[in-house]
Amino acid sequence: MGRGRLRIHLGAAPGVGKTYAMLSEAQRRVERGTDCVIGFVEHYDRPRTRALLEGLEQIPRRELEHRGAVLPEMDLDAVLARRPQVVLVDELAHTNVPGSRNAKRWQDVEELLAAGIDVLSTLNIQHLESLGDVVESITGVRQQETVPDEVVRRADQTELVDMTPEALRRRMAHGNVYQPDKVDAALSNYFRPGNLTALRELALLWVADRVDEYLQRYRSEHDVSAIWGSRERIVVGLTGGPEGRTLIRRAARLAEKGAGGEVLAVYIARGDGLTAASPGELAGQRTLVESLGGTFHHVVGDDVPAALLAFARAVNATQIVLGSSRRKTWQYVFGPGVGATVARDSGPDLDVHIVTHEAIAKGRGLPVARGARLGRSRVAWGWAVAVAGPPVLAVLLSAFDPGLANDMLLFLSLTVAAALLGGLRPALASAAFGSLLLNYFYTPPLHRWSVSDPKNIIAIVIFVAVGAAVASVVDLAARRTHQAARLRAESEILSFLAGNVLRGETGLEELLERVRQTFGMESAALLERAGDVEPWTCAGRTGTGPALGRPDDADVDVPVGDHMALVLTGRVLPAEDRRVLGAFAAQAAVALDRRRLRAEADRARTLAEGNRIRTALLAAVSHDLRTPLAGIKAAVSSLRSEDVDWSPEDRAELLEGIEGGADRLDHLVGNLLDMSRLHTGTVTPLIREVDLDEVVPMALGGVPEGSVTLDVPETLPMVAVDPGLLERAMANLIENAVKYAPSGTPVLVAASALADRVEVRVVDRGPGVPDDAKDRIFEPFQRYGDAPRGAGVGLGLAVARGFTEAMGGSLNADDTPGGGLTMTLTLRAATPAATTPAAQAKAATQATAATQAASETQATAVTRAPTATRAAPAGLAGPAEPVRPAESGPAGPAEPERHSS
């Protein structure tokens, strides 16, 4: 069973007739006998669209309940069970109702196609995922329902359903798209003429690109090498010279004369890296062609005309623009030139334009072969052998006469030795010098610059030719060896850069240091500026060289875009080094962008956390604060009512409710303010030496009497804390423990000292907290388990940990042996406790006993009336000496709660 075929009817906006076109196609297929059914089609009460539904089988829809409403969806299982040849599925970008098998309708379509069923569907251009930002900038509306571009690209057919903006607005005005009460708003907002025109252009361009892709694929599959001029594509051949800007502008003017014209600038670089191109000029030309809507391409090829023609035919170009040659007249002896060769080999289907410019015939350095990279000392030895070797050999041969043939072989050996040592030029010099000596001393007539025997002439010519050939081979081998070593080094460097790009490991400074070490420079820096006239600034630098104010001051500069450059000081680098240096420059720009994106992400994370806190604060204000206010208002209204004669007991109960609601509001607002100050970093503790037995009892004002057992020895060392912050943290911990402790089981608050710290444990026998939730219970705006709304805003533990850490302590949650939760608050001791083994053993015994006492101590909690509240924390309100609860009125910690997991 093969995969089904997908046909998409694409439109620029709602109302252009996509569904109508899809239904018309279905009616045509039914008339031809095709088994065609409707999986899901929305007609929106449009009469003409609804009329096309007649005669088409419709699969019953599946109804799903969501938020109290029953919503229809396509029954995917029913369609698969029916297995028609073709199914109609409207609105490809639709988001399915929660509870459906797939989240998106296009995923349903993928299942249908995989089952071998053909699908007809519809889509608006604004629902393509890649165009979301563009559509939002045009219409001001962010599309929430999108389809991945790849899904639409894989469609077997894409049919554009087009309509002019004026015709669509007339349809809307006649009520053929929306209901009459929505027409005016739509016409004045989303369906403005400008919006519709821009969306229509997007749709047309997107379909045109798909057609172009299909054409390229067809040409490739059928090996079509001839150029099909369906669209004007103009290739500009660049050399990196000053004439490039003139050629680009000329090509742009040519492209404007044809519909859909496209400019492709291409620079052909030689494979050995030898080039006379200016990197700065190429960067400027690249910027120019991209600003004119074209594209820039870099191609490697030793045969420039052949590489240029191959590129032009590969992109199906119709024209090539080249500049008149900059070579002088005598340089034409090396060949006819690139322009003439391209024009000769282009064929009848490719036009070549030769454009004049100001640099014609002003000279151009032809690329010449570099000398062998043999080292200075080796070349010096080669020249020594070439110059001194022939005379010395001639003196030695004068002592005996081995014969002309042997003489020539010995001089040839000397030439080979010069070639092996010094390369081409010393070998040629040795061959020339040796041939002169052979002619003068060993060929008749002797001691004359003439040769009488023609055979000797042939022998000398062969001697020179063999010497030159051997020298050229040695020189070529040396150059190839150098190139191979260089390419190996470049590949290692580029592999290093590619790995860093993938892993994102190297920072900007580390990368600049690698550049400096690789090329042996004094310093390396990355300069940037905001605009063409803005001053340059240093984004990062390394090394000991002078600080640079602009790229022109450096020994080497490599542009990165328009407003960034990698600069180095120390020496001038050869042209072939710029390839790798360009890769380093691009990676430096990436490293800088990565660093800035990371900083932006950190700021965004901070803002997101702030937004989350603010959202939670608003939620708390809207519900948790409103509930006690409503209770207070209802009680006050009841007391003021003259229609009811309240009994003293009822009046007391209402007043108690008012007082309890006010206490609750005080608690909630206190914790909200504390969390807000913690979040903004405005908590400044006032640390001083305090006895725990003075602070901990003050934290019990918000819990029922008898619900807490204290075990805080008077012999404990003093702690360095802010008394107000510690009291508030302890009160939140204690009230949280009392809330979850079983009725009749008191909470144990015990303290012990060990070395330079003091630990306070709040032990309860409640339900406890799973291990994976012990860290999350300290996050703000969370409630443990199924705590209902109105049971607090979930800030108690978050405030307690925030205050503890502000004082330099720590707060952690552990399991209570036998069940329950133990909150351990660790504080710095003002005077370290005894550190002898006996003292440490005593402290450990106290800690164990305090934890176990929770299961042994039984007390009955009694209902109490609110007593006194604690003073505002010193770190928040300001006073160094916090006021005792008895002195400052009604109490308590704000609704401390555990977090849900």
Side-chain angles (χ1 to χ4, degrees):
M1 178 182 62
R3 179 180 172 86
R5 296 175 60 83
L6 173 62
R7 176 170 178 170
I8 295 177
H9 295 80
L10 180 68
V16 297
K18 303 180 301 298
T19 304
Y20 187 90
M22 179 181 66
L23 290 171
S24 300
E25 176 64 22
Q27 290 286 1
R28 286 192 293 270
R29 296 196 182 196
V30 169
E31 291 176 0
R32 295 195 299 264
T34 304
D35 181 15
C36 187
V37 302
I38 294 177
F40 193 96
V41 169
E42 286 285 2
H43 56 75
Y44 297 106
D45 293 328
R46 297 167 186 168
R48 298 182 61 188
T49 304
R50 190 168 56 243
L52 286 175
L53 293 173
E54 297 179 2
L56 296 177
E57 178 185 350
Q58 299 191 42
I59 303 295
R61 299 182 181 184
R62 180 186 178 192
E63 294 185 344
L64 298 172
E65 184 176 353
H66 179 61
R67 295 182 179 178
V70 178
L71 303 174
E73 283 292 354
M74 180 177 69
D75 193 337
L76 179 60
D77 293 327
V79 176
L80 291 173
R82 170 67 172 74
R83 292 196 61 80
Q85 290 180 275
V86 181
V87 61
L88 277 64
V89 182
D90 207 2
E91 298 179 355
L92 187 63
H94 172 75
T95 300
N96 292 334
V97 176
S100 302
R101 188 157 77 190
N102 296 312
K104 295 287 188 178
R105 186 165 291 169
W106 63 264
Q107 294 171 325
D108 295 339
V109 169
E110 287 294 314
E111 287 198 35
L112 294 172
L113 295 173
I117 302 173
D118 294 346
V119 178
L120 302 180
S121 189
T122 63
L123 181 70
N124 284 326
I125 192 66
Q126 65 263 30
H127 293 300
L128 280 172
E129 193 168 282
S130 64
L131 298 178
D133 295 339
V134 179
V135 172
E136 184 179 9
S137 65
I138 294 171
T139 65
V141 178
R142 182 68 178 185
Q143 298 295 329
Q144 301 301 323
E145 296 184 327
T146 59
V147 179
D149 287 43
E150 184 59 27
V151 174
V152 186
R153 289 177 186 272
R154 289 200 305 265
D156 298 277
Q157 296 183 56
T158 302
E159 178 179 331
L160 179 64
V161 182
D162 189 31
M163 180 177 288
T164 64
E166 294 78 9
L168 179 56
R169 285 172 59 84
R170 282 196 303 270
R171 288 196 64 197
M172 294 196 63
H174 295 158
N176 295 331
V177 179
Y178 289 156
Q179 296 298 324
D181 57 339
K182 299 179 180 179
V183 170
D184 290 339
L187 289 175
S188 59
N189 290 284
Y190 192 88
F191 289 85
R192 294 194 299 269
N195 290 359
L196 296 177
T197 301
L199 292 174
R200 187 186 186 204
E201 182 182 21
L202 281 179
L204 291 170
L205 291 176
W206 198 87
V207 173
D209 288 339
R210 300 294 75 71
V211 172
D212 190 59
E213 287 180 4
Y214 173 77
L215 179 61
Q216 294 294 343
R217 185 168 62 250
Y218 179 87
R219 285 166 52 85
S220 176
E221 292 174 354
H222 293 78
D223 296 327
V224 178
S225 58
I227 294 175
W228 292 356
S230 58
R231 181 177 180 181
E232 288 294 338
R233 283 189 177 88
I234 303 174
V235 171
V236 183
L238 300 179
T239 64
E243 76 282 0
R245 298 174 184 268
T246 302
L247 303 183
I248 292 171
R249 294 189 180 96
R250 177 62 174 169
R253 290 195 296 271
L254 289 174
E256 290 176 356
K257 297 178 180 179
E262 184 179 356
V263 176
L264 300 90
V266 58
Y267 169 68
I268 310 295
R270 290 185 57 186
D272 58 4
L274 303 176
T275 176
S278 167
E281 185 64 31
L282 277 179
Q285 293 173 12
R286 178 174 193 152
T287 302
L288 175 61
V289 70
E290 290 176 351
S291 68
L292 294 174
T295 57
F296 184 90
H297 304 268
H298 195 117
V299 178
V300 176
D302 292 326
D303 190 342
V304 175
L308 183 61
L309 288 171
F311 175 83
R313 292 192 171 97
V315 299
N316 200 29
T318 58
Q319 302 180 56
I320 295 180
V321 175
L322 299 173
S324 296
S325 179
R326 288 185 282 123
R327 295 191 297 174
K328 294 184 179 298
T329 304
W330 64 270
Q331 290 178 319
Y332 280 97
V333 298
F334 297 101
V338 174
T341 304
V342 169
R344 181 193 63 201
D345 299 338
S346 61
D349 52 359
L350 191 58
D351 298 334
V352 178
H353 301 267
I354 305 297
V355 179
T356 59
H357 51 84
E358 296 179 353
I360 295 176
K362 290 188 176 180
R364 174 188 177 189
L366 293 175
V368 296
R370 299 294 181 92
R373 306 301 178 121
L374 301 175
R376 293 184 178 180
S377 61
R378 186 171 171 179
V379 172
W381 278 106
W383 278 108
V385 170
V387 174
V392 172
L393 181 60
V395 172
L396 294 176
L397 292 177
S398 64
F400 58 93
D401 185 12
L404 180 60
N406 292 328
D407 294 340
M408 296 184 66
L409 289 176
L410 290 173
F411 274 99
L412 181 61
S413 300
L414 194 63
T415 299
V416 172
L420 292 174
L421 287 174
L424 179 61
R425 293 179 181 178
L428 293 178
S430 176
F433 198 11
S435 64
L436 292 176
L437 293 178
L438 282 172
N439 180 25
Y440 190 80
F441 289 104
Y442 305 108
T443 57
L446 300 179
H447 306 296
R448 295 183 60 181
W449 300 109
S450 61
V451 180
S452 59
D453 189 350
K455 295 181 180 179
N456 292 337
I457 296 177
I458 297 175
I460 293 176
V461 171
I462 293 175
F463 165 76
V464 174
V466 170
V470 171
S472 63
V473 170
V474 172
D475 181 74
L476 180 63
R479 285 194 289 117
R480 290 291 181 261
T481 302
H482 170 75
Q483 291 171 4
R486 180 179 182 83
L487 291 175
R488 182 174 62 253
E490 289 183 2
S491 65
E492 291 175 357
I493 294 173
L494 294 176
S495 176
F496 162 77
L497 290 176
N500 287 335
V501 170
L502 294 175
R503 295 187 298 269
E505 293 177 350
T506 304
L508 178 60
E509 283 70 22
E510 293 83 356
L511 185 65
L512 293 176
E513 178 63 21
R514 182 64 181 260
V515 174
R516 190 186 68 81
Q517 294 177 359
T518 299
F519 295 96
M521 306 299 283
E522 294 179 359
S523 69
L526 186 66
L527 304 182
E528 64 174 346
R529 60 179 178 179
D532 294 335
V533 296
E534 299 294 328
W536 290 90
T537 59
C538 182
R541 72 184 309 271
T542 184
T544 59
L548 300 174
R550 56 179 184 170
D552 295 341
D553 299 334
D555 294 318
V556 179
D557 71 284
V558 179
V560 186
D562 293 336
H563 304 128
M564 192 177 296
L566 176 65
V567 297
L568 298 95
T569 59
R571 61 189 177 92
V572 178
L573 293 178
E576 59 265 26
D577 286 338
R578 289 185 175 270
R579 284 191 301 173
V580 177
L581 196 57
F584 270 112
Q587 175 62 6
V590 171
L592 179 61
D593 290 340
R594 188 187 303 122
R595 184 172 70 181
R596 290 175 175 170
L597 288 174
R598 190 178 298 113
E600 289 291 339
D602 293 339
R603 286 194 292 270
R605 192 177 301 109
T606 303
L607 291 175
E609 179 66 18
N611 289 334
R612 190 178 70 85
I613 295 293
R614 283 189 290 272
T615 301
L617 284 171
L618 291 175
V621 171
S622 65
H623 189 282
D624 296 279
L625 298 184
R626 183 181 297 173
T627 301
L629 282 175
I632 294 173
K633 179 175 177 59
V636 171
S637 299
S638 299
L639 288 173
R640 295 187 59 186
S641 175
E642 298 178 356
D643 299 334
V644 181
D645 186 12
W646 299 102
S647 65
E649 293 80 6
D650 293 337
R651 186 177 297 275
E653 184 178 353
L654 289 173
L655 289 174
E656 184 179 357
I658 293 173
E659 186 176 16
D663 289 341
R664 184 176 170 190
L665 279 177
D666 179 68
H667 303 165
L668 292 176
V669 171
N671 264 356
L672 288 172
L673 292 176
D674 291 345
M675 197 67 225
S676 177
R677 289 163 179 161
L678 282 171
H679 180 68
T680 56
T682 57
V683 175
T684 305
L686 301 176
I687 305 298
R688 64 186 182 90
E689 296 182 1
V690 178
D691 282 323
L692 279 179
D693 57 355
E694 295 180 2
V695 178
V696 175
M698 297 166 56
L700 304 181
V703 297
E705 295 179 2
S707 61
V708 177
T709 300
L710 287 179
D711 182 13
V712 182
E714 296 181 356
T715 57
L716 287 175
M718 302 180 73
V719 292
V721 296
D722 183 313
L725 296 184
L726 177 59
E727 179 193 346
R728 191 63 171 270
M730 287 299 305
N732 284 357
L733 293 176
I734 293 170
E735 190 162 326
N736 184 80
V738 170
K739 175 183 295 185
Y740 291 98
S743 177
T745 304
V747 171
L748 174 64
V749 179
S752 61
L754 182 63
D756 60 346
R757 64 184 186 274
V758 176
E759 292 184 348
V760 182
R761 289 169 297 282
V762 180
V763 185
D764 68 59
R765 302 291 295 175
V769 175
D771 291 339
D772 58 353
K774 283 186 172 62
D775 287 332
R776 294 198 300 272
I777 62 175
F778 296 102
E779 296 178 2
F781 302 106
Q782 300 290 329
R783 296 180 177 81
Y784 178 72
D786 298 325
R789 297 284 298 179
V793 293
L795 289 177
L797 296 183
V799 169
R801 172 172 274 190
F803 284 173
T804 302
E805 293 178 349
M807 296 183 292
S810 63
L811 177 61
N812 298 290
D814 300 296
D815 293 328
T816 301
L821 188 70
T822 297
M823 292 288 183
T824 303
L825 191 151
T826 305
L827 302 170
R828 292 180 291 117
T831 55
T835 57
T836 63
Q840 294 180 2
K842 180 180 179 181
T845 302
Q846 290 176 349
T848 304
T851 302
Q852 295 175 346
S855 60
E856 301 171 358
T857 304
Q858 298 292 330
T860 303
V862 297
T863 306
R864 57 94 187 168
T867 55
T869 190
R870 300 178 304 281
L876 300 178
E881 293 289 335
V883 184
R884 293 290 186 265
E887 302 170 359
S888 61
E895 297 294 347
E897 288 139 17
R898 298 185 191 157
H899 298 216
S900 59
S901 57

